[in-house]
mmCIF file of all heavy atoms in Angstrom:
data_model
loop_
_atom_site.group_PDB
_atom_site.id
_atom_site.type_symbol
_atom_site.label_atom_id
_atom_site.label_comp_id
_atom_site.label_asym_id
_atom_site.label_seq_id
_atom_site.Cartn_x
_atom_site.Cartn_y
_atom_site.Cartn_z
ATOM 1 N N ARG T 1 159.267 -63.025 2.765
ATOM 2 C CA ARG T 1 159.852 -62.349 1.595
ATOM 3 C C ARG T 1 161.350 -62.144 1.753
ATOM 4 O O ARG T 1 162.016 -61.685 0.825
ATOM 5 C CB ARG T 1 159.152 -61.002 1.392
ATOM 6 C CG ARG T 1 157.656 -61.105 1.166
ATOM 7 C CD ARG T 1 156.985 -59.754 1.251
ATOM 8 N NE ARG T 1 157.160 -59.152 2.565
ATOM 9 C CZ ARG T 1 156.681 -57.963 2.928
ATOM 10 N NH1 ARG T 1 156.001 -57.243 2.046
ATOM 11 N NH2 ARG T 1 156.881 -57.496 4.141
ATOM 12 N N ASP T 2 161.877 -62.491 2.941
ATOM 13 C CA ASP T 2 163.277 -62.222 3.263
ATOM 14 C C ASP T 2 164.069 -63.529 3.295
ATOM 15 O O ASP T 2 163.782 -64.416 4.111
ATOM 16 C CB ASP T 2 163.369 -61.508 4.615
ATOM 17 C CG ASP T 2 164.784 -61.111 4.962
ATOM 18 O OD1 ASP T 2 165.526 -61.967 5.465
ATOM 19 O OD2 ASP T 2 165.148 -59.943 4.724
ATOM 20 N N ASP T 3 165.060 -63.647 2.432
ATOM 21 C CA ASP T 3 165.829 -64.893 2.327
ATOM 22 C C ASP T 3 166.564 -65.231 3.618
ATOM 23 O O ASP T 3 166.630 -66.400 4.018
ATOM 24 C CB ASP T 3 166.836 -64.791 1.174
ATOM 25 C CG ASP T 3 166.156 -64.715 -0.189
ATOM 26 O OD1 ASP T 3 165.045 -65.257 -0.327
ATOM 27 O OD2 ASP T 3 166.738 -64.103 -1.111
ATOM 28 N N GLY T 4 167.119 -64.210 4.273
ATOM 29 C CA GLY T 4 167.833 -64.467 5.520
ATOM 30 C C GLY T 4 166.917 -64.976 6.608
ATOM 31 O O GLY T 4 167.252 -65.919 7.342
ATOM 32 N N ASP T 5 165.749 -64.356 6.746
ATOM 33 C CA ASP T 5 164.755 -64.826 7.721
ATOM 34 C C ASP T 5 164.390 -66.281 7.456
ATOM 35 O O ASP T 5 164.269 -67.089 8.394
ATOM 36 C CB ASP T 5 163.489 -63.974 7.645
ATOM 37 C CG ASP T 5 163.590 -62.667 8.408
ATOM 38 O OD1 ASP T 5 164.672 -62.372 8.947
ATOM 39 O OD2 ASP T 5 162.577 -61.933 8.468
ATOM 40 N N LEU T 6 164.197 -66.614 6.197
ATOM 41 C CA LEU T 6 163.790 -67.969 5.853
ATOM 42 C C LEU T 6 164.871 -68.993 6.187
ATOM 43 O O LEU T 6 164.565 -70.072 6.714
ATOM 44 C CB LEU T 6 163.439 -68.046 4.364
ATOM 45 C CG LEU T 6 162.110 -67.397 3.967
ATOM 46 C CD1 LEU T 6 161.981 -67.316 2.459
ATOM 47 C CD2 LEU T 6 160.932 -68.171 4.551
ATOM 48 N N ARG T 7 166.124 -68.668 5.917
ATOM 49 C CA ARG T 7 167.210 -69.606 6.243
ATOM 50 C C ARG T 7 167.244 -69.880 7.744
ATOM 51 O O ARG T 7 167.392 -71.030 8.170
ATOM 52 C CB ARG T 7 168.552 -69.048 5.771
ATOM 53 C CG ARG T 7 168.799 -69.201 4.268
ATOM 54 C CD ARG T 7 170.259 -68.922 3.930
ATOM 55 N NE ARG T 7 170.637 -67.538 4.250
ATOM 56 C CZ ARG T 7 170.501 -66.520 3.414
ATOM 57 N NH1 ARG T 7 169.989 -66.721 2.210
ATOM 58 N NH2 ARG T 7 170.885 -65.306 3.763
ATOM 59 N N ARG T 8 167.110 -68.824 8.540
ATOM 60 C CA ARG T 8 167.131 -69.013 9.999
ATOM 61 C C ARG T 8 165.914 -69.794 10.484
ATOM 62 O O ARG T 8 166.030 -70.690 11.318
ATOM 63 C CB ARG T 8 167.209 -67.649 10.688
ATOM 64 C CG ARG T 8 168.566 -66.949 10.544
ATOM 65 C CD ARG T 8 168.626 -65.688 11.382
ATOM 66 N NE ARG T 8 167.756 -64.642 10.849
ATOM 67 C CZ ARG T 8 168.120 -63.770 9.921
ATOM 68 N NH1 ARG T 8 169.340 -63.824 9.397
ATOM 69 N NH2 ARG T 8 167.279 -62.845 9.494
ATOM 70 N N ALA T 9 164.750 -69.454 9.952
ATOM 71 C CA ALA T 9 163.523 -70.101 10.425
ATOM 72 C C ALA T 9 163.468 -71.574 10.040
ATOM 73 O O ALA T 9 162.903 -72.393 10.780
ATOM 74 C CB ALA T 9 162.306 -69.378 9.857
ATOM 75 N N LEU T 10 164.055 -71.932 8.908
ATOM 76 C CA LEU T 10 163.977 -73.304 8.405
ATOM 77 C C LEU T 10 165.110 -74.194 8.897
ATOM 78 O O LEU T 10 165.098 -75.402 8.626
ATOM 79 C CB LEU T 10 163.969 -73.293 6.873
ATOM 80 C CG LEU T 10 162.658 -72.829 6.224
ATOM 81 C CD1 LEU T 10 162.891 -72.458 4.767
ATOM 82 C CD2 LEU T 10 161.598 -73.921 6.332
ATOM 83 N N ASP T 11 166.040 -73.647 9.612
ATOM 84 C CA ASP T 11 167.175 -74.439 10.100
ATOM 85 C C ASP T 11 166.679 -75.576 10.994
ATOM 86 O O ASP T 11 166.073 -75.347 12.041
ATOM 87 C CB ASP T 11 168.137 -73.545 10.880
ATOM 88 C CG ASP T 11 169.382 -74.292 11.324
ATOM 89 O OD1 ASP T 11 169.816 -75.215 10.608
ATOM 90 O OD2 ASP T 11 169.909 -73.969 12.408
ATOM 91 N N GLY T 12 166.911 -76.805 10.579
ATOM 92 C CA GLY T 12 166.514 -77.976 11.352
ATOM 93 C C GLY T 12 165.052 -78.358 11.205
ATOM 94 O O GLY T 12 164.595 -79.313 11.845
ATOM 95 N N VAL T 13 164.303 -77.670 10.358
ATOM 96 C CA VAL T 13 162.870 -77.938 10.201
ATOM 97 C C VAL T 13 162.660 -79.136 9.269
ATOM 98 O O VAL T 13 163.308 -79.254 8.224
ATOM 99 C CB VAL T 13 162.144 -76.684 9.644
ATOM 100 C CG1 VAL T 13 160.761 -77.030 9.112
ATOM 101 C CG2 VAL T 13 162.051 -75.624 10.721
ATOM 102 N N THR T 14 161.746 -80.017 9.649
ATOM 103 C CA THR T 14 161.410 -81.166 8.800
ATOM 104 C C THR T 14 160.090 -80.968 8.056
ATOM 105 O O THR T 14 159.907 -81.501 6.965
ATOM 106 C CB THR T 14 161.311 -82.450 9.635
ATOM 107 O OG1 THR T 14 160.289 -82.279 10.644
ATOM 108 C CG2 THR T 14 162.639 -82.767 10.308
ATOM 109 N N HIS T 15 159.147 -80.211 8.655
ATOM 110 C CA HIS T 15 157.822 -80.033 8.073
ATOM 111 C C HIS T 15 157.407 -78.564 8.188
ATOM 112 O O HIS T 15 157.750 -77.896 9.177
ATOM 113 C CB HIS T 15 156.780 -80.910 8.780
ATOM 114 C CG HIS T 15 156.992 -82.375 8.573
ATOM 115 N ND1 HIS T 15 158.073 -83.060 9.106
ATOM 116 C CD2 HIS T 15 156.265 -83.295 7.880
ATOM 117 C CE1 HIS T 15 157.994 -84.329 8.755
ATOM 118 N NE2 HIS T 15 156.902 -84.504 8.012
ATOM 119 N N VAL T 16 156.672 -78.084 7.204
ATOM 120 C CA VAL T 16 156.276 -76.681 7.150
ATOM 121 C C VAL T 16 154.778 -76.592 6.878
ATOM 122 O O VAL T 16 154.244 -77.321 6.033
ATOM 123 C CB VAL T 16 157.027 -75.922 6.040
ATOM 124 C CG1 VAL T 16 156.593 -74.448 5.997
ATOM 125 C CG2 VAL T 16 158.535 -76.034 6.229
ATOM 126 N N VAL T 17 154.109 -75.685 7.592
ATOM 127 C CA VAL T 17 152.713 -75.344 7.301
ATOM 128 C C VAL T 17 152.676 -73.866 6.957
ATOM 129 O O VAL T 17 153.043 -73.020 7.786
ATOM 130 C CB VAL T 17 151.785 -75.633 8.498
ATOM 131 C CG1 VAL T 17 150.328 -75.310 8.126
ATOM 132 C CG2 VAL T 17 151.921 -77.078 8.960
ATOM 133 N N ASN T 18 152.245 -73.548 5.746
ATOM 134 C CA ASN T 18 152.238 -72.155 5.295
ATOM 135 C C ASN T 18 150.842 -71.561 5.414
ATOM 136 O O ASN T 18 149.962 -71.835 4.597
ATOM 137 C CB ASN T 18 152.716 -72.054 3.846
ATOM 138 C CG ASN T 18 152.715 -70.607 3.368
ATOM 139 O OD1 ASN T 18 152.833 -69.672 4.163
ATOM 140 N ND2 ASN T 18 152.574 -70.408 2.074
ATOM 141 N N CYS T 19 150.645 -70.733 6.434
ATOM 142 C CA CYS T 19 149.383 -70.026 6.639
ATOM 143 C C CYS T 19 149.518 -68.537 6.355
ATOM 144 O O CYS T 19 148.590 -67.772 6.623
ATOM 145 C CB CYS T 19 148.900 -70.200 8.082
ATOM 146 S SG CYS T 19 148.697 -71.903 8.617
ATOM 147 N N ALA T 20 150.667 -68.127 5.844
ATOM 148 C CA ALA T 20 150.909 -66.697 5.638
ATOM 149 C C ALA T 20 150.017 -66.159 4.527
ATOM 150 O O ALA T 20 149.802 -66.813 3.511
ATOM 151 C CB ALA T 20 152.376 -66.459 5.289
ATOM 152 N N VAL T 21 149.498 -64.967 4.734
ATOM 153 C CA VAL T 21 148.666 -64.306 3.737
ATOM 154 C C VAL T 21 148.831 -62.805 3.898
ATOM 155 O O VAL T 21 149.120 -62.315 4.996
ATOM 156 C CB VAL T 21 147.187 -64.735 3.881
ATOM 157 C CG1 VAL T 21 146.596 -64.208 5.177
ATOM 158 C CG2 VAL T 21 146.364 -64.289 2.689
ATOM 159 N N GLY T 22 148.655 -62.087 2.821
ATOM 160 C CA GLY T 22 148.790 -60.636 2.864
ATOM 161 C C GLY T 22 148.589 -60.080 1.475
ATOM 162 O O GLY T 22 147.772 -60.594 0.696
ATOM 163 N N ASP T 23 149.346 -59.048 1.137
ATOM 164 C CA ASP T 23 149.279 -58.530 -0.226
ATOM 165 C C ASP T 23 150.029 -59.499 -1.149
ATOM 166 O O ASP T 23 150.645 -60.462 -0.680
ATOM 167 C CB ASP T 23 149.837 -57.107 -0.290
ATOM 168 C CG ASP T 23 151.305 -57.021 0.105
ATOM 169 O OD1 ASP T 23 152.034 -58.039 -0.002
ATOM 170 O OD2 ASP T 23 151.745 -55.942 0.530
ATOM 171 N N PRO T 24 149.967 -59.289 -2.478
ATOM 172 C CA PRO T 24 150.613 -60.246 -3.385
ATOM 173 C C PRO T 24 152.097 -60.474 -3.119
ATOM 174 O O PRO T 24 152.615 -61.565 -3.394
ATOM 175 C CB PRO T 24 150.383 -59.620 -4.764
ATOM 176 C CG PRO T 24 149.100 -58.864 -4.608
ATOM 177 C CD PRO T 24 149.147 -58.303 -3.216
ATOM 178 N N SER T 25 152.792 -59.479 -2.573
ATOM 179 C CA SER T 25 154.211 -59.682 -2.288
ATOM 180 C C SER T 25 154.416 -60.763 -1.234
ATOM 181 O O SER T 25 155.438 -61.452 -1.230
ATOM 182 C CB SER T 25 154.866 -58.372 -1.834
ATOM 183 O OG SER T 25 154.424 -57.990 -0.542
ATOM 184 N N THR T 26 153.441 -60.929 -0.357
ATOM 185 C CA THR T 26 153.505 -62.000 0.647
ATOM 186 C C THR T 26 152.870 -63.273 0.131
ATOM 187 O O THR T 26 153.483 -64.353 0.140
ATOM 188 C CB THR T 26 152.800 -61.556 1.944
ATOM 189 O OG1 THR T 26 153.489 -60.446 2.507
ATOM 190 C CG2 THR T 26 152.777 -62.695 2.964
ATOM 191 N N THR T 27 151.612 -63.177 -0.328
ATOM 192 C CA THR T 27 150.858 -64.365 -0.725
ATOM 193 C C THR T 27 151.496 -65.086 -1.899
ATOM 194 O O THR T 27 151.525 -66.323 -1.938
ATOM 195 C CB THR T 27 149.409 -63.977 -1.060
ATOM 196 O OG1 THR T 27 148.820 -63.304 0.055
ATOM 197 C CG2 THR T 27 148.582 -65.204 -1.397
ATOM 198 N N VAL T 28 152.010 -64.344 -2.861
ATOM 199 C CA VAL T 28 152.574 -64.963 -4.066
ATOM 200 C C VAL T 28 154.096 -65.047 -3.977
ATOM 201 O O VAL T 28 154.675 -66.138 -3.923
ATOM 202 C CB VAL T 28 152.150 -64.184 -5.331
ATOM 203 C CG1 VAL T 28 152.724 -64.865 -6.573
ATOM 204 C CG2 VAL T 28 150.634 -64.093 -5.429
ATOM 205 N N ASP T 29 154.768 -63.899 -3.950
ATOM 206 C CA ASP T 29 156.227 -63.894 -3.949
ATOM 207 C C ASP T 29 156.787 -64.544 -2.683
ATOM 208 O O ASP T 29 157.756 -65.310 -2.737
ATOM 209 C CB ASP T 29 156.751 -62.463 -4.073
ATOM 210 C CG ASP T 29 156.251 -61.774 -5.337
ATOM 211 O OD1 ASP T 29 155.981 -62.482 -6.327
ATOM 212 O OD2 ASP T 29 156.108 -60.539 -5.329
ATOM 213 N N GLY T 30 156.171 -64.237 -1.553
ATOM 214 C CA GLY T 30 156.628 -64.828 -0.303
ATOM 215 C C GLY T 30 156.463 -66.332 -0.285
ATOM 216 O O GLY T 30 157.338 -67.066 0.189
ATOM 217 N N THR T 31 155.322 -66.808 -0.790
ATOM 218 C CA THR T 31 155.113 -68.260 -0.859
ATOM 219 C C THR T 31 156.169 -68.921 -1.728
ATOM 220 O O THR T 31 156.733 -69.964 -1.378
ATOM 221 C CB THR T 31 153.705 -68.576 -1.394
ATOM 222 O OG1 THR T 31 152.733 -68.141 -0.432
ATOM 223 C CG2 THR T 31 153.535 -70.065 -1.650
ATOM 224 N N ARG T 32 156.468 -68.325 -2.873
ATOM 225 C CA ARG T 32 157.492 -68.904 -3.758
ATOM 226 C C ARG T 32 158.856 -68.950 -3.059
ATOM 227 O O ARG T 32 159.575 -69.955 -3.149
ATOM 228 C CB ARG T 32 157.569 -68.102 -5.062
ATOM 229 C CG ARG T 32 158.572 -68.682 -6.056
ATOM 230 C CD ARG T 32 158.530 -67.973 -7.390
ATOM 231 N NE ARG T 32 157.374 -68.409 -8.180
ATOM 232 C CZ ARG T 32 156.276 -67.681 -8.387
ATOM 233 N NH1 ARG T 32 156.177 -66.460 -7.871
ATOM 234 N NH2 ARG T 32 155.286 -68.145 -9.118
ATOM 235 N N LYS T 33 159.206 -67.882 -2.369
ATOM 236 C CA LYS T 33 160.478 -67.867 -1.643
ATOM 237 C C LYS T 33 160.496 -68.917 -0.530
ATOM 238 O O LYS T 33 161.496 -69.622 -0.321
ATOM 239 C CB LYS T 33 160.716 -66.473 -1.051
ATOM 240 C CG LYS T 33 161.241 -65.438 -2.038
ATOM 241 C CD LYS T 33 161.439 -64.103 -1.347
ATOM 242 C CE LYS T 33 162.141 -63.104 -2.253
ATOM 243 N NZ LYS T 33 163.575 -63.418 -2.416
ATOM 244 N N LEU T 34 159.391 -69.034 0.198
ATOM 245 C CA LEU T 34 159.310 -70.025 1.265
ATOM 246 C C LEU T 34 159.470 -71.430 0.724
ATOM 247 O O LEU T 34 160.244 -72.243 1.266
ATOM 248 C CB LEU T 34 157.966 -69.891 1.994
ATOM 249 C CG LEU T 34 157.616 -71.002 2.989
ATOM 250 C CD1 LEU T 34 158.611 -71.034 4.143
ATOM 251 C CD2 LEU T 34 156.190 -70.827 3.512
ATOM 252 N N LEU T 35 158.757 -71.744 -0.348
ATOM 253 C CA LEU T 35 158.832 -73.079 -0.916
ATOM 254 C C LEU T 35 160.224 -73.382 -1.459
ATOM 255 O O LEU T 35 160.748 -74.493 -1.294
ATOM 256 C CB LEU T 35 157.796 -73.222 -2.026
ATOM 257 C CG LEU T 35 156.325 -73.079 -1.609
ATOM 258 C CD1 LEU T 35 155.428 -73.108 -2.836
ATOM 259 C CD2 LEU T 35 155.930 -74.177 -0.636
ATOM 260 N N THR T 36 160.822 -72.390 -2.099
ATOM 261 C CA THR T 36 162.176 -72.570 -2.635
ATOM 262 C C THR T 36 163.168 -72.837 -1.509
ATOM 263 O O THR T 36 164.021 -73.739 -1.603
ATOM 264 C CB THR T 36 162.598 -71.327 -3.437
ATOM 265 O OG1 THR T 36 161.675 -71.119 -4.510
ATOM 266 C CG2 THR T 36 164.000 -71.474 -3.998
ATOM 267 N N ALA T 37 163.046 -72.075 -0.427
ATOM 268 C CA ALA T 37 163.947 -72.259 0.714
ATOM 269 C C ALA T 37 163.690 -73.595 1.405
ATOM 270 O O ALA T 37 164.630 -74.268 1.848
ATOM 271 C CB ALA T 37 163.759 -71.100 1.704
ATOM 272 N N ALA T 38 162.426 -74.001 1.500
ATOM 273 C CA ALA T 38 162.104 -75.292 2.117
ATOM 274 C C ALA T 38 162.675 -76.441 1.288
ATOM 275 O O ALA T 38 163.187 -77.424 1.833
ATOM 276 C CB ALA T 38 160.591 -75.437 2.254
ATOM 277 N N HIS T 39 162.597 -76.313 -0.026
ATOM 278 C CA HIS T 39 163.170 -77.341 -0.907
ATOM 279 C C HIS T 39 164.684 -77.420 -0.720
ATOM 280 O O HIS T 39 165.263 -78.517 -0.599
ATOM 281 C CB HIS T 39 162.818 -77.010 -2.352
ATOM 282 C CG HIS T 39 163.224 -78.047 -3.343
ATOM 283 N ND1 HIS T 39 163.118 -79.400 -3.110
ATOM 284 C CD2 HIS T 39 163.743 -77.927 -4.599
ATOM 285 C CE1 HIS T 39 163.541 -80.076 -4.159
ATOM 286 N NE2 HIS T 39 163.943 -79.198 -5.078
ATOM 287 N N ALA T 40 165.337 -76.258 -0.655
ATOM 288 C CA ALA T 40 166.792 -76.224 -0.491
ATOM 289 C C ALA T 40 167.221 -76.793 0.856
ATOM 290 O O ALA T 40 168.302 -77.387 0.975
ATOM 291 C CB ALA T 40 167.291 -74.787 -0.640
ATOM 292 N N SER T 41 166.366 -76.609 1.877
ATOM 293 C CA SER T 41 166.727 -77.073 3.220
ATOM 294 C C SER T 41 166.400 -78.549 3.436
ATOM 295 O O SER T 41 166.720 -79.110 4.490
ATOM 296 C CB SER T 41 166.008 -76.236 4.276
ATOM 297 O OG SER T 41 164.613 -76.505 4.276
ATOM 298 N N GLY T 42 165.720 -79.169 2.469
ATOM 299 C CA GLY T 42 165.407 -80.591 2.584
ATOM 300 C C GLY T 42 164.162 -80.902 3.380
ATOM 301 O O GLY T 42 164.047 -82.002 3.953
ATOM 302 N N ALA T 43 163.217 -79.995 3.412
ATOM 303 C CA ALA T 43 161.968 -80.244 4.150
ATOM 304 C C ALA T 43 161.281 -81.499 3.612
ATOM 305 O O ALA T 43 161.219 -81.730 2.402
ATOM 306 C CB ALA T 43 161.039 -79.037 4.023
#
């Protein structure tokens, strides 16, 4: 759910597996943020 965390975690990443789950803020909003950041980083 944190944009800064995502930028750091995705630095240099080529492939992503999303197993994160939790309340809707994680499962839904967090997934959208992760996918958006992965797209921006060129995954």
Side-chain angles (χ1 to χ4, degrees):
R1 301 169 299 180
D2 184 278
D3 293 331
D5 279 4
L6 286 170
R7 282 193 297 272
R8 289 187 290 273
L10 286 163
D11 184 32
V13 164
T14 59
H15 293 68
V16 180
V17 182
N18 180 26
C19 303
V21 68
D23 62 24
S25 70
T26 296
T27 304
V28 181
D29 302 332
T31 293
R32 182 174 283 106
K33 281 180 172 287
L34 170 63
L35 298 174
T36 301
H39 186 40
S41 70

